[in-house]
Amino acid sequence: MQTTDRPAVSARALTKVYGHGAAEVRALDGVDVDFAAGAFTAIMGPSGSGKSTLLHLLAGLDQATSGSVHLGETNLTTLDDDAMTRLRRDRLGFVFQSFNLLPMFTAEQNVLLPLDLAGAKADRAWFDTLVQTLGLGERLTHRPSELSGGQQQRVAIARALIAKPEVVFADEPTGNLDSRSGAEVLSFLRRSVRELGRTVVMVTHDPTAAAYADRVVLIADGRIAGDIQDPTPESVLAGLEALRTLEGPAGSALVGA
Amino acid sequence: MLRLTLAQMRRSLGRLVAAGIAIAIGTAFVTATLLAGNVLTRTGYDAVTLQFGQADLVALGGVDDTTLAQARAVDGVDTAEPLLTGGIYLTAGNRSSYEVVVGASADERLRSVGVSHGRVPAASNEIALAPATAERLDVAVGDTVSASYSASVADPDGPDPQWEEKKDELRVVGLVDDPDGAWRQYGGVGLAPPEDVLRWNDPGPADPIASTLLVTTTGDPAQAQQALAKALPGADVLTKDEAAARTISEFSQAGNVLVTVVLGFAAVALLVAALVIANTFQVLVAQRTRTLALLRCVGALRGQVRRSVVVEAAILGLGSSLVGLLTGSALAQVALAVLNRSDIQAPLPSTVTLTWAAVLVPLVVGTLVTVLASLVPARAATRVSPVEALRPADVQEVSTRAGRLRLAFSLLLAVGGGLALVGAALGAATGAVGPMFWLAVGLLAGTTSFVGVLIGAVLWVPAVVRVAGRSLERLGSTARLAAANTVRNPRRTAATSTALLIGVTLVAMMSTGAATARTSLSRELADRFAVDVEVSSYGEPVDAAALDASLAAVADVDGVREVQPLRTVTLMAGERQLDVVSVPDARALVRDARTVEGLADGTIVLPASASSLADADGLTTAGGEPVRVTLVESNLGGSAALADSGTFDAIAAGTTPTGLWVRLDDDADAAAVTRDIQDHLPSETPLGVQSGAAERQGYEQVIDVMLAVVVGLLAVAVVIALVGVTNTLSLSVIERRRESATLRAIGLTRGQLRASLAVEGALITGVGAVLGVLLGLGYGWAGAATVFGNAGHLHLNVPWRDLAIVLGVALFAGLAASVLPARSATRTPPVAALAVD
């Protein structure tokens, strides 16, 4: 595990408010957090805790109400839409719960999509490495409808990594997969950190998935509620339990494996 | 179920708007047409009523002297006058004009027009002219004009009368004033004493003098009507309104035909609208799969689901038809107001009359079309299985492939129809049976083949789009994205492209037909005339000085390039006559120098129409002396052969010129210059002017106007099709929200998204337009061949300019159609669509 001094992405006093007045919902409330480069970090919390919102803001997919997000030196909150889009294209990668592949393109075309949009040429060596690592060699000419869920997610991961992004954001990547495919996907993500030197930030509600990470950030009610280094399924579960007792009788249900 | 249907409608209101617009436009078209028809009928009726003056009763039937006397003797009849109309040929100097004249009744009430300058003609050989005629003849009150007419003379040898030409000298005593345009259909009428009108339009001794008797009554008109009816058993005695209605019912036949033809175009527009509706409902059903599945899961029957879609279509159809009805009425009313404000002298009503037909027909038709168009999607809705409610979101539906049966059927119709069309064109060329027969066959064949093409559209349009898309791929990733998106749903793309295809094919066909007609007519006219303008005395001798004066006068006219004196002599070739003419320098006069290539000493150039004489035994003069010359065939127009001066002198020395040949400047307005030539000719000469160029110009104007009208009517269908493109794009955008969000997340800028949608729109419209142009060319050529093939002057034209305009408009519209959907697509933040359902 390689760490550098500067965090890959960080948030300061990050706040996101929906609605106003009596119907106001503070999805995020003054969040301060750093994510180390070259590390696999998981964000965990009960549903409604704001973890997806945090991910969206960190990834530049949504605008914060107040506070700032820094990707390396760049302050995301000062960018306009075009600049933000280009930043996502060139410096970030995404893996979604519902795969989100384009159905009319082949697997290979889907993988190369971000480069296509940038008008950049593909690094063939890197492409071959990814394909080999993710075991997609036989499937490159197939369309998403001809691939299993696990295969689709692997294509999505390849797509996320093709532009050699600074950070890969994953939103519940195993949510739609059976346990075996899920385990495969998680180990690929870990391998991309360990062997390919990537940074991955993953949101999950599954303690077993979180255990693949190097660090788990716990979030509840829009605020950072805890931090677990070198997690195991048990320590994560314990951490979540602790969260539950903090919430009180109206707290949301704990989601377990 | 109804509440659910309404709730669903409210949610999808935005998506239904475009479809509603399509139907509204179609029904507005129908409404406006029907209302215009009403106005035409009403105007005609009002005009006829005006022609009856202030008569109380009108007797329709033959009127002669006996019936006139009988009518006058009836109790309660004040005055009775026949409605005399006729036409005469008026000349003043060398200007002439045909004018319709009306007899000036002694009773002022029965006169339908008055006089603005001068007075009503009272004595014989006096006339009041229509202002337009006076202008054309260049006469004023106090001048004299000559009237030419035929009079019957009893034949001593037999029962039938003989006709002899007569000429009267008339004094112009006034100008007719027709403020309400009672006689507008004739362009104005003249007023003359009844005995003159009778003399000029002598029907012959056995025929009645008029067919309408105008009567004013005293006392109770109903009683007078009865009494008059008894006195005139052979006539229909009606009130003025009844008589007008009776008369107009004959004329309204023609008006009805016109309305029917325009309604045909409205039908095309509604057909296109139906395609748009069908498309919309298909997409709606696809988008509501989960809701429909849920309903079926929970207990809705197939029939209920189908009915729900149909009811939704009916509500949409009724609502949009209502909007269309109101819009069409408003448009018609505005047009009427504008016309009334302008200078048109016609008894136009001030408001449109909303008859039951004009209100009900658009409503019923619009609703019916919408419901029919929704039937197929409604059936598709019943095929949603309940299980799909339980599947996770985003199961991508694989587009179904159309069956082989459809392919076979479509090929049969298209190819069969196409062959029949070619057959009709060939058959017309042989000249057997008659052009109308071949035209009917061609029309049927063409329609069949077009229907076949449309049925098969869903099969081959996507293929064409894919090929076109592939050629765009080089332009970058945005284009590639657009191309891929366009072929994702072949049915939808085909339906949208097809809607545009219909309109464009028809427009292209009309343009091609018109262009070919123009060329063919111009060729045919070129064959009838050797030069632009021919001035001839038609056999009468012309004074040499007068001819010189004419030559000088014509040379002075603006637009005349060359004028030369013409000598003519008639020769015999066996039994047949051959006119031979000669001018000093033919090459300067003819348009095509090749026709006079063979002109040399001792040679006579035969016109194309007399080429059979080339093998004639020998030419002789009218007196029988042999003429020794060589006969040369050529493409010369007209019916006279051409000889140069030397050859002509050898045949008929001493003949003086009896006419002129004129060549116009290339940019001259043929009709105007011809009129000028006519006006400049000294009035005492018996010279008349004939101009092929002016005739061609006249025909071309007619063709151009007709083409403009037809294209205007078809434009409505095209507009609806373009609304359909916007519809398809916006529905696709909604369907692809998740993918668009993904693309935005991984780096597609808003500009790139807009560009991709623009390319998609242009691709759909571009393919539809190109295919439509090609089909239209084919049909246009086939149609022209069928109509003109027999004349032997078929020249297949490509109206490049018109076709380019059509393509340009279609492409631009495709781009424009993407603007609104693109706005809604780019406004969606990536986050909103990424959420799991």
Side-chain angles (χ1 to χ4, degrees):
Chain A
M1 182 163 70
Q2 43 174 180
T3 45
T4 50
D5 291 326
R6 200 191 62 210
V9 56
S10 64
R12 290 285 172 270
L14 196 58
T15 307
K16 179 74 180 177
V17 179
Y18 294 108
H20 25 248
E24 189 178 87
V25 173
R26 299 188 83 85
L28 286 183
D29 200 0
V31 167
D32 288 323
V33 64
D34 289 337
F35 294 89
F40 188 170
T41 318
I43 304 176
M44 272 209 77
S47 49
S49 55
K51 56 187 191 294
S52 288
T53 312
L54 177 60
L55 188 83
H56 293 157
L57 289 177
L58 291 173
L61 290 172
D62 203 356
Q63 297 276 27
T65 314
S66 66
S68 71
V69 175
H70 281 83
L71 179 72
E73 299 281 318
T74 320
N75 184 347
L76 262 55
T77 40
T78 62
L79 296 179
D80 68 24
D81 188 270
D82 270 359
M84 189 86 95
T85 307
R86 257 174 267 132
L87 179 141
R88 291 199 299 268
R89 183 185 72 197
D90 301 331
R91 295 167 66 182
L92 299 179
F94 291 95
V95 181
F96 302 102
Q97 177 174 354
S98 27
F99 323 143
N100 286 348
L101 298 180
L102 295 187
M104 65 280 197
F105 286 150
T106 62
E108 174 164 356
Q109 287 170 320
N110 265 295
V111 169
L112 295 171
L113 196 52
L115 295 178
D116 228 2
L117 293 176
K121 297 239 78 190
D123 178 352
R124 272 290 146 183
W126 180 232
F127 179 76
D128 292 336
T129 310
L130 283 177
V131 167
Q132 213 188 28
T133 314
L134 291 161
L136 293 172
E138 312 279 301
R139 296 294 185 176
L140 285 177
T141 54
H142 291 200
R143 295 219 145 76
S145 54
E146 298 158 349
L147 300 174
S148 74
Q151 288 163 338
Q152 287 187 54
Q153 196 62 300
R154 276 185 272 151
V155 171
I157 295 175
R159 177 181 72 192
L161 294 173
I162 191 70
K164 300 203 189 119
E166 289 169 31
V167 184
V168 175
F169 288 101
D171 191 349
E172 310 264 14
T174 56
N176 279 357
L177 299 174
D178 59 85
S179 45
R180 200 165 68 87
S181 312
E184 259 181 11
V185 163
L186 289 166
S187 77
F188 281 135
L189 284 176
R190 192 164 61 182
R191 279 175 70 186
S192 68
V193 170
R194 299 274 164 79
E195 293 170 26
L196 305 175
R198 301 289 116 204
T199 308
V200 176
V201 175
M202 177 178 76
V203 159
T204 183
H205 62 266
D206 181 0
T208 325
Y212 279 77
D214 302 319
R215 170 176 163 234
V216 173
V217 172
L218 293 170
I219 180 170
D221 289 333
R223 294 198 201 88
I224 302 293
D227 207 308
I228 307 174
Q229 294 284 355
D230 297 318
T232 63
E234 296 77 28
S235 62
V236 173
L237 212 49
L240 285 174
E241 278 289 329
L243 277 184
R244 209 158 71 97
T245 56
L246 284 174
E247 277 165 25
S252 43
L254 202 81
V255 283
Chain B
M1 202 68 195
L2 183 62
R3 223 176 323 153
L4 184 63
T5 309
L6 290 174
Q8 279 184 328
M9 267 195 89
R10 226 171 301 141
R11 270 187 63 200
S12 337
L13 208 54
R15 294 168 222 179
L16 292 173
V17 162
I21 292 179
I23 284 288
I25 295 179
T27 44
F29 194 173
V30 172
T31 310
T33 310
L34 289 174
L35 288 177
N38 282 352
V39 168
L40 273 178
T41 314
R42 176 82 184 279
T43 311
Y45 174 89
D46 286 348
V48 172
T49 317
L50 282 171
Q51 288 171 4
F52 292 152
Q54 292 166 34
D56 298 311
L57 297 175
V58 177
L60 295 175
V63 175
D64 57 21
D65 292 322
T66 359
T67 48
L68 195 56
Q70 280 173 338
R72 288 192 175 129
V74 166
D75 212 7
V77 165
D78 190 6
T79 56
E81 299 277 349
L83 180 56
L84 293 169
T85 56
I88 44 164
Y89 199 68
L90 295 171
T91 36
N94 58 352
R95 299 181 183 215
S96 57
S97 178
Y98 183 80
E99 181 167 74
V100 174
V101 282
V102 170
S105 311
D107 185 345
E108 203 179 30
R109 289 172 297 174
L110 295 179
R111 254 180 255 151
S112 48
V113 293
V115 164
S116 62
H117 291 83
R119 59 175 172 80
V120 173
S124 186
N125 286 344
E126 289 183 348
I127 189 168
L129 294 178
T133 313
E135 211 183 292
R136 220 173 298 139
L137 295 176
D138 197 18
V139 294
V141 175
D143 291 341
T144 333
V145 295
S146 326
S148 315
Y149 61 98
S150 319
S152 70
V153 172
D155 186 359
D157 298 324
D160 291 326
Q162 293 240 348
W163 298 92
E164 62 178 26
E165 297 295 316
K166 287 222 164 144
K167 227 174 189 171
D168 280 351
E169 294 299 312
L170 309 174
R171 204 158 70 88
V172 178
V173 297
L175 292 180
V176 170
D177 180 32
D178 185 6
D180 297 320
W183 299 94
R184 185 171 181 272
Q185 74 210 81
Y186 297 118
V189 290
L191 207 53
E195 61 265 28
D196 284 357
V197 178
L198 276 175
R199 192 175 63 238
W200 296 328
N201 286 94
D202 192 350
D207 292 324
I209 55 176
S211 58
T212 312
L213 185 67
L214 300 177
V215 174
T216 54
T217 56
T218 57
D220 182 12
Q223 258 187 349
Q225 185 172 3
Q226 277 180 345
L228 193 57
K230 248 185 279 183
L232 304 174
D236 282 323
V237 179
L238 308 165
T239 63
K240 195 167 77 164
D241 288 337
E242 286 170 0
R246 177 84 62 89
T247 317
I248 206 62
S249 72
E250 296 157 10
F251 288 131
S252 64
Q253 290 293 351
N256 279 344
V257 168
L258 185 65
V259 169
T260 312
V261 165
V262 177
L263 282 180
F265 286 99
V268 170
L270 281 173
L271 174 68
V272 172
L275 280 176
V276 173
I277 306 276
N279 215 15
T280 308
F281 274 93
Q282 226 158 33
V283 175
L284 278 178
V285 165
Q287 287 171 345
R288 289 191 201 144
T289 306
R290 297 207 81 201
T291 318
L292 288 169
L294 188 62
L295 286 172
R296 299 271 291 118
C297 204
V298 157
L301 299 169
R302 280 211 154 95
Q304 284 180 302
V305 167
R306 183 176 52 233
R307 237 169 301 149
S308 146
V309 176
V310 172
V311 164
E312 192 170 345
I315 297 176
L316 174 72
L318 196 59
S320 330
S321 303
L322 198 59
V323 170
L325 175 67
L326 293 172
T327 315
S329 310
L331 277 174
Q333 181 61 55
V334 164
L336 202 57
V338 167
L339 279 177
N340 264 328
R341 201 77 55 84
S342 78
D343 240 346
I344 292 193
Q345 271 187 320
L348 286 175
S350 56
T351 57
V352 291
T353 7
L354 284 176
T355 58
W356 279 119
V359 168
L360 282 181
V361 166
L363 282 179
V364 168
V365 166
T367 312
L368 205 61
V369 165
T370 317
V371 166
L372 286 175
S374 73
L375 286 182
V376 168
R379 214 156 61 88
T382 65
R383 282 193 234 117
V384 171
S385 113
V387 158
E388 291 179 42
L390 309 171
R391 286 214 196 107
D394 281 3
V395 177
Q396 288 293 341
E397 64 165 302
V398 183
S399 52
T400 53
R401 309 198 58 212
R404 289 182 182 281
L405 190 63
R406 176 184 278 249
L407 177 67
F409 198 46
S410 127
L411 276 178
L412 183 70
L413 287 179
V415 174
L419 287 175
L421 192 58
V422 172
L426 291 174
T430 65
V433 183
M436 288 315 284
F437 172 73
W438 293 117
L439 191 60
V441 169
L443 201 62
L444 199 61
T447 314
T448 313
S449 73
F450 195 43
V451 168
V453 162
L454 289 179
I455 290 180
V458 73
L459 297 165
W460 50 269
V461 168
V464 175
V465 172
R466 205 170 297 137
V467 167
R470 211 163 290 160
S471 66
L472 285 179
E473 274 173 16
R474 247 160 287 176
L475 295 178
S477 62
T478 326
R480 222 170 309 157
L481 195 60
N485 272 328
T486 315
V487 296
R488 275 177 64 181
N489 197 323
R491 277 197 121 95
R492 194 181 312 165
T493 308
T496 316
S497 268
T498 307
L500 189 61
L501 185 88
I502 295 178
V504 171
T505 305
L506 290 173
V507 170
M509 180 174 80
M510 296 298 174
S511 289
T512 311
T516 310
R518 258 186 238 118
T519 320
S520 303
L521 272 171
S522 132
R523 291 279 170 100
E524 183 167 328
L525 285 171
D527 277 3
R528 275 208 279 138
F529 294 94
V531 292
D532 288 340
V533 179
E534 298 175 2
V535 179
S536 155
S537 65
Y538 303 111
E540 297 217 9
V542 183
D543 176 40
L547 193 76
D548 285 337
S550 308
L551 190 115
V554 172
D556 244 351
V557 171
D558 225 353
V560 166
R561 180 166 145 169
E562 176 83 27
V563 55
Q564 295 175 13
L566 179 84
R567 295 186 288 170
T568 168
V569 68
T570 307
L571 301 180
M572 304 297 294
E575 290 281 309
R576 290 177 56 177
Q577 277 189 334
L578 178 69
D579 287 333
V580 178
V581 300
S582 173
V583 285
D585 181 13
R587 273 183 201 85
L589 284 175
V590 295
R591 290 252 164 196
D592 184 1
R594 289 174 301 171
T595 54
V596 296
E597 257 172 7
L599 203 60
D601 202 21
T603 316
I604 291 186
V605 174
L606 288 174
S609 58
S611 47
S612 58
L613 287 178
D615 305 319
D617 281 334
L619 282 180
T620 61
T621 63
E625 287 171 40
V627 171
R628 256 169 276 281
V629 284
T630 330
L631 295 172
V632 174
E633 288 180 51
S634 80
N635 274 337
L636 188 67
S639 58
L642 192 61
D644 68 9
S645 305
T647 320
F648 192 85
D649 282 332
I651 302 171
T655 317
T656 51
T658 51
L660 304 168
W661 266 11
V662 184
R663 177 170 177 175
L664 303 178
D665 286 332
D666 285 336
D667 58 354
D669 177 354
V673 176
T674 308
R675 267 198 304 276
D676 280 343
I677 292 177
Q678 193 160 21
D679 294 340
H680 275 75
L681 287 175
S683 42
E684 310 80 44
T685 57
L687 292 171
V689 179
Q690 260 199 321
S691 168
E695 257 188 71
R696 175 181 53 239
Q697 194 179 23
Y699 283 131
E700 281 188 2
Q701 271 179 350
V702 170
I703 292 177
D704 284 342
V705 166
M706 277 182 60
L707 181 66
V709 168
V710 164
V711 167
L713 292 173
L714 288 173
V716 178
V718 172
V719 165
I720 295 181
L722 294 174
V723 168
V725 172
T726 314
N727 196 25
T728 301
L729 282 178
S730 56
L731 291 172
S732 302
V733 160
I734 293 172
E735 264 195 351
R736 285 185 239 140
R737 277 173 76 228
R738 179 173 288 278
E739 282 157 43
S740 301
T742 308
L743 285 165
R744 293 274 288 122
I746 62 180
L748 187 74
T749 61
R750 282 203 282 227
Q752 280 176 313
L753 184 58
R754 269 192 287 257
S756 133
L757 282 172
V759 170
E760 207 177 325
L763 200 55
I764 296 177
T765 54
V767 167
V770 167
L771 292 173
V773 158
L774 291 173
L775 277 175
L777 266 178
Y779 286 129
W781 282 341
T786 315
V787 171
F788 292 108
N790 190 31
H793 293 293
L794 188 63
H795 180 82
L796 295 176
N797 247 349
V798 178
W800 292 112
R801 193 197 58 160
D802 293 342
L803 296 181
I805 292 178
V806 168
L807 275 176
V809 167
L811 279 175
F812 175 73
L815 293 174
S818 73
V819 166
L820 281 179
R823 275 189 62 194
S824 79
T826 52
R827 235 181 305 169
T828 314
V831 166
L834 285 175
V836 179
D837 232 357

